Amino acid sequence: EAQVTQNPRYLITVTGKKLTVTCSQNMNHEYMSWYRQDPGLGLRQIYYSMNVEVTDKGDVPEGYKVSRKEKRNFPLILESPSPNQTSLYFCATKGSLYEQYFGPGTRLTVT
Amino acid sequence: SQQGEEDPQALSIQEGENATMNCSYKTSINNLQWYRQNSGRGLVHLILIRSNEREKHSGRLRVTLDTSKKSSSLLITASRAADTASYFCATDAIDNFNKFYFGSGTKLNVKP
């Protein structure tokens, strides 16, 4: 089954403790992206990657890092999380017709 | 920011009625897409309309695009309780197919 998986699905952490949210896809898509979703703001793009070793900033990249060392994986790294990064995070890939396929989401709480 | 806005923010209708939601955006685009999100879950792609298209159909969905007004509408005909979800429009940037901007969404409730 074609899918995008994210781990963990839920995470509660404390300010300043580095964390990584993993994203993996089995659709062989070149493009992957990370979004955060906050009430009343819709989804905002954090980073995207056009291919292995090629990444670029979205609308809200501050406080986040990404890497794309393999085609199937695109982890999101928060080096020093802060409470304003409490959000629902989605990883997505893009198919040949520009449609995006989303993972199930990771709900992050930073206290 | 190019982030769009959906209107209305919330819509409640009876099963069998049509639901119309609108999306406005700020700058020129290549494509506009509509997505559905069931409560707290990942978004599901519904339909894409290109900037040179004015109308597109897919099953019970009808999308229109007016690039002069920078707006789009999504019509769901003969709605069902299972259509209850939030609906988002998403645009790219005219100079960058890889950047996406989502609206704030319309929350649709279809009462059985």
Side-chain angles (χ1 to χ4, degrees), chain B residues 3-6 22-26 69-72 89:
Chain B
Q3 190 163 28
E5 291 184 8
E6 275 94 345
N22 304 295
C23 165
S24 60
Y25 55 92
K26 295 177 184 174
K69 294 181 180 177
K70 292 188 172 57
S71 68
S72 173
C89 66

Side-chain angles (χ1 to χ4, degrees), chain B:
Chain B
S1 170
Q2 181 172 310
Q3 190 163 28
E5 291 184 8
E6 275 94 345
D7 169 57
Q9 289 188 324
L11 180 60
S12 186
I13 60 174
Q14 292 292 141
E15 210 165 25
E17 294 180 339
N18 294 343
T20 299
M21 49 205 91
N22 304 295
C23 165
S24 60
Y25 55 92
K26 295 177 184 174
T27 61
S28 297
I29 62 172
N30 298 295
N31 306 299
L32 184 143
Q33 303 179 53
W34 285 90
Y35 288 83
R36 183 186 74 221
Q37 182 182 36
N38 290 91
S39 183
R41 302 177 82 169
L43 280 72
V44 174
H45 180 261
L46 295 176
I47 193 167
L48 177 150
I49 187 165
R50 303 191 190 287
S51 60
N52 61 356
E53 296 176 312
R54 291 296 164 257
E55 187 171 314
K56 203 161 181 182
H57 296 253
S58 176
R60 293 184 297 112
L61 305 179
R62 173 181 168 248
V63 171
T64 62
L65 179 64
D66 187 336
T67 52
S68 66
K69 294 181 180 177
K70 292 188 172 57
S71 68
S72 173
S73 67
L74 172 67
L75 168 68
I76 304 174
T77 60
S79 63
R80 307 165 181 166
D83 295 328
T84 293
S86 291
Y87 292 82
F88 295 88
C89 66
T91 58
D92 60 5
I94 190 71
D95 58 347
N96 191 339
F97 282 93
N98 296 305
K99 291 190 86 165
F100 290 92
Y101 303 92
F102 282 77
S104 49
T106 291
K107 198 165 187 176
L108 174 65
N109 179 32
V110 182
K111 294 176 281 189

Side-chain angles (χ1 to χ4, degrees), chain A:
Chain A
E1 181 192 350
Q3 59 182 353
V4 179
T5 57
Q6 294 178 227
N7 282 292
R9 295 288 313 282
Y10 301 91
L11 179 59
I12 301 174
T13 190
V14 296
T15 298
K17 187 175 180 182
K18 181 179 178 180
L19 67 92
T20 299
V21 183
T22 65
C23 174
S24 183
Q25 54 112 349
N26 63 0
M27 291 175 278
N28 203 35
H29 289 164
E30 293 183 347
Y31 179 99
M32 298 183 76
S33 183
W34 276 103
Y35 296 88
R36 60 177 289 173
Q37 184 177 27
D38 302 289
L41 294 177
L43 278 79
R44 293 179 292 167
Q45 193 172 34
I46 303 171
Y47 270 96
Y48 59 93
S49 170
M50 291 78 74
N51 212 330
V52 175
E53 302 292 359
V54 183
T55 63
D56 206 348
K57 297 177 181 178
D59 232 16
V60 289
E62 296 78 20
Y64 304 95
K65 277 178 59 176
V66 292
S67 69
R68 187 91 180 275
K69 298 195 186 323
E70 311 166 88
K71 197 172 189 178
R72 63 181 292 124
N73 296 321
F74 190 42
L76 179 69
I77 303 157
L78 284 73
E79 294 266 1
S80 183
S82 62
N84 64 12
Q85 292 178 298
T86 291
S87 187
L88 179 57
Y89 290 87
F90 289 102
C91 179
T93 69
K94 185 173 68 170
S96 57
L97 299 177
Y98 298 105
E99 75 284 12
Q100 292 190 72
Y101 299 88
F102 284 80
T106 294
R107 193 168 290 278
L108 172 66
T109 302
V110 184
T111 61

